[in-house]
Amino acid sequence: MRIKKTVTLLAVLTLAGCSDQGQEKKTSGPRPIISAVVGIGRSAGGYPGVVEARVSSDLGFRILGNVNSRPVEVGDFVTRGQVLATLESSSQSLEVSAAEADLRNAEARMANAQVTRNRQRTLADAGLGITAIFEQAEQALKSAQANVGKAEAILAKAREQLDYTTLRAQFDGIVTRTSAEVGQTADAGAPVVTVAQPDEREVVIDVPDEVYGGLRIGTPFVLRLQLDDQMAVRGVVRELAPSADPLTRTRRVRITLLSPGNGFRIGAVATAYLAPSDSTPFTVPRRAVVTGDGVFVWIVDKDRRTVTKRVIEVDEASLSTDEVTVLKGLDDGERVVLAGVNRLAEGQAIRLSKRSEL
């Protein structure tokens, strides 16, 4: 009887053990890792900056008035001639109406003077008129013609003043700032809407003096979006600030983007890295390199969320430093695992940690 109880107990324990293993296998999921992107522009620290338009115009009214409407907002795309804002224009409309009435009156006087002059000329040609009266008619016609010209000029000026109450875009672009609201009094020449041309873009960064000293117009940079580190473009220095900021003691540098993609929109945050020459090798953090059975790193496949073992060739002397120089085996923009490299397997499913570096 004791033997049967022992066998039954062993069977229960065995089933319980199998159940625990199955439960453990079921709950195990993708291994969380910390990773970073390597390649061009990753060897040294970067400088954060904002994408701006190279050409940007502050548009305002030429006359003083109250803002009646502003149909555009920040981020709107506008075309040349599109209405950006309007002023209250009742007084300007009245001036135009008055000028049009004066012009019609002057034209009527000129028509009457023309008839009188023609009649006096006919009488003079027939020898029935008086020369002095004909000359007076001739002078009256010239005066009437001058009055018409004056009325036309006044009307043109009144219409111009009315046109000044409408602010229009001078070129195709994007609204980057609005400086006046409906009902607000806008001074003549004060900015109301800022429109930028999106075709030519640049990244504005601030660098310390020790970096500024090595920069020249045309110095190449690699710029990466902070939201998507895989998206990178090259750029060159266009402008170097001659003086440092009095508070931060940094100098402003403007980098023109060469063939920027749609991701580098105005206002996007990017990081600028000094571009190494083509012969400059990549460097990766020492903790990403596994030694022992060869020298290799784990490459992250972001689409499949797996890792792959990659044998690399390195400068052995750099293995004793924080940054290992990779001579062969890595390409620009690839992502390598930084933490947990000794616990990974080929093709293992992984989960990128929020601490992963861009």
Side-chain angles (χ1 to χ4, degrees), residues 58-71:
D58 292 329
L59 305 179
F61 295 102
R62 298 187 182 184
I63 59 176
L64 175 70
N66 293 328
V67 178
N68 188 46
S69 68
R70 198 205 66 212

Side-chain angles (χ1 to χ4, degrees), residues 31-42:
R31 178 178 294 277
I33 64 166
I34 299 176
S35 63
V37 173
V38 299
I40 296 176
R42 290 290 177 177

